[in-house]
Every structure is written in C-alpha cells, then in structure tokens.
Amino acid sequence: MSTDHGRVINFGAGPSALPLSVLEEAQTGLVNFAGTGMGIAEISHRSKEFQAFLDGFERDIRTQLDVPPTHRILFTQGGGTGQFSAVVLNLLARYKLLRPQASAEDTVLDYVVTGSWSKKAAEEARRLGGSTVRTVVDARVYSKDGKAFDNIPPHAEFAFSADPALIYYCENETVDGVEFAHDAQSPAAFPFHLLPQNTLVPLIADYSSSFMCRPIPRLADHAVIYAGAQKNIGPAGLTVLIVREDCIVDVDAAAKLGAAPVPLILSYKTLADSGSLYNTPSVLAIYMAGLVVKRMKENGGLPYYEEVNRRKANKLYAAVHEGEQKGVFRRKVQQGSESWMNAVFEVLGEGAEKKFLDGAEKEGMKGLKGHRSVGGVRVSLYNAVTEQEVDKLIAYMARFLAESASVEAAA
C-alpha cells in the first residue's frame, strides 16, 4: 500500500518527477534485483538477469513507439549535450563514406534554431568544425521583441539545403517552452513536407523533454532521435537513441577518408555492435526507466498518456489565459507554439512572481521557478505529474488571481 512519504508535488524541469509506485518498486530492486540476492546498483551489467531486463526495456520502447525494424534502439550516457557532439561526428562520418570527395565547405549541416537547446547544439557543431553549419531558420527573428525564443517560425521561412549531412531540430525546447505543434496541419508543426525528397533524409531530433509523452510523428522518417531520460521516463544518467541502420557506420573507415576521428564511446556502431554494453552502462538509471516504461504499457501506453497530457496542458493554459485577461499573468510563448511539457509564463507586478512561487511552495508545489536564463514561472507537466496535481496548481492559481484582484480593489 503506497503512502505519500511526505512528498511534495514536483513541477521541476529535470531531473523530474517519477511515479511513486516505481520509486517504491525500485526500493526492492536496490536490495535484491530479480531474485539474485544483489541490488541493481551492485549487479554485473553482463549478468543474464540484467541482460533480460535490458531486452525487455528495449521491447517496451519499440512496441509503444512503433519503432520500425529499420531502426536500432541504443542506450548510452552523456545526456542530450553528449549527443550534440555524437550526432555531428557520426553523421559527418556517414557523409564522408557516401561522398568521399566532398570538402568541408561542401559539407553542410542544417540547424533549425527554435530555443536555447537547439542553439547550443548548433554552437557545438561549429566548434567541432569539418563542415559548414547553416541556420535554416532562427525563431528569434519572428519573436515579439526580436530577441526571445517564443515561436515556431512560419513554414515559408524554412529553407533546407539540397544535400545536407544532417538536419537538426529540437522537438520541445525545455527552457523556452516552445514545441512543434502536435497537429500535422498546424502552421507550427514540423515542416516534413519541405525536407529533401527521394533520399534517406539525415533528420536528427532532440526529444529529451517530450520523449514517450505521445507518439512521435513520422518516426520512420528520422535518422536519429535521442532523449535524455531524466524528464519523462527516468533519473539522470541515461540517454535513449533511436538510430536508423544507415547511420550506424564504420567511423574508422570514414576517418581514413578524411573525416574527423570519432571516440569509440560516441560511435553508434560501437554501441550497436555491443548491444549498448561496450562499457558499463548506467545500470540504475536503465532499471528505473525500464520500470517506468513497463508501467506505461500496463496503463494503456502512449494513447493513454497523450490524452492525459493533452488535458493537463489545456487546463493549465486556460488558467494562464484567465490570468492574462485579469492582467496578472502573461504568457511567454506565442499561441500555437506552446509546449505541452514546459508551460512558461510571467507573473506581473512588483514582487508578484516571488509571492506566487513562495505561496505555491507553502502548499507543497515545488520546481516552478523558470530557468535562470529566462526567469518567470515554468510548469513542467511530465508523465509522472498527475492530472490531480495539475488541478491543485490550477486551484492555487485561481486563488492567487482572486487575491490579486482584492488587493487591487483595496488600492
């Protein structure tokens, strides 16, 4: 029987909330995993028990996301930041094998920059060199102030290169609260129809903060999808990769042709050939994420979570809109580009934001302060945040609005 363990509601952006039932189940595994008499943090990653768990974890991801046999599922470390480098090095190796005569100037990397994380990814690509890094579109140009990441740019502004070594986008920008729309017909959806045609497009997607919150649109059309686990499915220390087979290349052969050498630990071929066990993986993080994904399957899988996440986001944005009408809240993202997972807004007035955050914390709701680079309030609505917990926040927001109106009336 679960107890609350004195827990608060965690609206933090990551490491984020995990289901209490999984945390309780993990307690048992920390002491005795799969009847081995050893805890999961002690057991060999080469043991048959851990291998069986890893295989099941992979199957649960493949089944729920409907990952086709053309793609491998790999597990590694380094988080999304590690993949900023890995995707560049592996895709440049692929491109060199396909076009050995191409110079660095001829080798183009396309980056769609819609927020802080895609901006950092593009910066890392430039730092690594060996290619021409091109910004397909920069969302700041289309913002209300010309500086903020607050929108998905119009499709007419996207202009992909004819033959890029990679095309990179971040599906959900955790810091800025901007996400490509879920409706394929929306002007804020990712413009798949504008991608180069009649080729295996080297499309890369950072799904770190929206992985497993809903199905991935046109998953099979991606070359690489990656996600740090510490948002929706597990603790920090694990990165999940979905890699198309043609992107698992011999990086040493590419280096002989002039491509940059790829550290073995960053090579997708190394990971694939070793079944993600080239080195000691993040055993505990894999275990807990595996428990989460198994629980998701038992609850009805992604259709269930998509519907619940839709309701949570709709309720919260309705509450923000009500606060806007009353001059207390101000949304930071243009309508249609808002994230389901990370809702951001400002509380207007001298000292009002601190008052809002302090009041929420007194009621057991933590992790609501916006990222240090942008400020404001950020509400992260990951899978483990329940609809009832969101309702509690919305009730608090309504009381805050009422109190603000009373103060204004008294003044």
Side-chain angles (χ1 to χ4, degrees):
M1 183 73 178
S2 292
T3 61
D4 66 7
H5 300 283
R7 288 169 61 78
V8 299
I9 301 174
N10 179 8
F11 288 109
S16 55
L18 290 168
L20 180 56
S21 62
V22 166
L23 295 174
E24 290 174 333
E25 185 176 356
Q27 287 178 317
T28 300
L30 277 169
V31 177
N32 187 345
F33 168 67
T36 61
M38 290 183 284
I40 184 64
E42 306 168 288
I43 198 167
S44 169
H45 60 292
R46 306 290 181 191
S47 66
K48 66 180 188 298
E49 292 86 1
F50 181 73
Q51 182 67 64
F53 187 89
L54 187 66
D55 291 344
F57 181 24
E58 179 182 338
R59 280 195 305 273
D60 285 342
I61 292 175
R62 185 174 293 277
T63 301
Q64 293 188 62
L65 280 175
D66 195 21
V67 179
T70 51
H71 289 62
R72 297 285 291 275
I73 297 174
L74 307 173
F75 304 106
T76 189
Q77 296 146 310
T81 304
Q83 291 307 306
F84 292 169
S85 307
V87 294
V88 170
L89 294 173
N90 281 274
L91 272 291
L92 284 179
R94 173 185 182 269
Y95 195 78
K96 179 57 74 172
L97 290 169
L98 291 172
R99 295 163 182 78
Q101 305 306 318
S103 66
E105 292 75 22
D106 296 332
T107 306
V108 178
L109 308 184
D110 275 1
Y111 278 77
V112 176
V113 179
T114 53
S116 300
W117 290 117
S118 50
K119 176 176 173 286
K120 286 179 182 293
E123 289 169 351
E124 175 65 355
R126 291 189 178 93
R127 193 185 72 81
L128 290 173
S131 62
T132 300
V133 178
R134 178 176 167 273
T135 300
V136 172
V137 67
D138 187 326
R140 289 171 293 189
V141 174
Y142 310 95
S143 67
K144 286 175 280 192
D145 63 3
K147 300 176 183 177
F149 289 113
D150 69 0
N151 70 96
I152 297 296
H155 285 178
E157 304 303 317
F158 285 73
F160 297 109
S161 301
D163 182 30
L166 67 79
I167 298 170
Y168 189 104
Y169 75 101
C170 180
E171 198 271 344
N172 180 69
E173 291 281 1
T174 323
V175 170
D176 307 283
V178 174
E179 185 175 23
F180 284 92
H182 297 192
D183 178 2
Q185 305 308 313
S186 168
F190 187 82
F192 290 100
H193 63 289
L194 297 178
L195 294 171
Q197 302 297 307
N198 305 314
T199 184
L200 281 173
V201 178
L203 182 63
I204 314 296
D206 175 356
Y207 258 81
S208 290
S209 51
S210 53
F211 189 65
M212 299 293 288
C213 80
R214 64 178 178 111
I216 294 178
R218 296 181 61 163
L219 185 153
D221 292 336
H222 290 76
V224 181
I225 291 168
Y226 70 81
Q230 71 277 8
K231 309 294 186 181
N232 263 321
I233 66 167
L238 168 67
T239 305
V240 181
L241 294 162
I242 301 174
V243 184
R244 200 172 61 210
E245 292 280 2
D246 65 285
C247 297
I248 300 172
V249 301
D250 187 334
V251 296
D252 291 338
K256 290 176 182 176
L257 295 174
V262 181
L264 280 176
I265 200 64
L266 296 182
S267 164
Y268 295 154
K269 190 174 190 302
T270 300
L271 283 172
D273 289 350
S274 64
S276 299
L277 297 175
Y278 176 74
N279 66 321
T280 307
S282 302
V283 173
L284 180 58
I286 286 172
Y287 173 61
M288 295 187 69
L291 293 180
V292 170
V293 173
K294 179 174 178 285
R295 177 181 178 270
M296 290 180 64
K297 180 178 67 175
E298 293 166 350
N299 285 343
L302 289 184
Y304 167 81
Y305 284 91
E306 180 176 28
E307 183 52 39
V308 172
N309 287 327
R310 177 185 288 110
R311 291 200 303 267
K312 291 188 302 187
N314 286 344
K315 285 181 182 183
L316 182 61
Y317 283 115
V320 173
H321 180 64
E322 181 181 351
E324 275 194 304
Q325 291 180 316
K326 295 181 178 178
V328 178
F329 301 148
R330 179 167 61 203
R331 71 172 64 211
K332 298 180 75 174
V333 176
Q334 295 181 33
Q335 192 163 2
S337 299
E338 308 100 322
S339 167
W340 277 19
M341 294 286 100
N342 310 102
V344 295
F345 61 94
E346 295 172 310
V347 186
L348 305 177
E350 183 76 26
E353 182 183 302
K354 184 178 187 304
K355 181 181 177 183
F356 179 89
L357 294 170
D358 289 348
E361 185 151 346
K362 286 178 184 174
E363 296 199 20
M365 293 177 282
K366 294 189 175 184
L368 290 166
K369 188 173 179 60
H371 191 272
R372 62 187 178 278
S373 64
V374 294
V377 174
R378 174 171 55 174
V379 186
S380 293
L381 301 173
Y382 301 128
N383 287 350
V385 176
T386 68
E387 196 167 358
Q388 292 72 28
E389 290 170 334
V390 175
D391 288 342
K392 181 176 179 180
L393 173 61
I394 290 169
Y396 167 70
M397 292 168 70
R399 291 194 299 276
F400 187 86
L401 291 177
E403 290 168 9
S404 298
S406 299
V407 169
E408 188 175 331

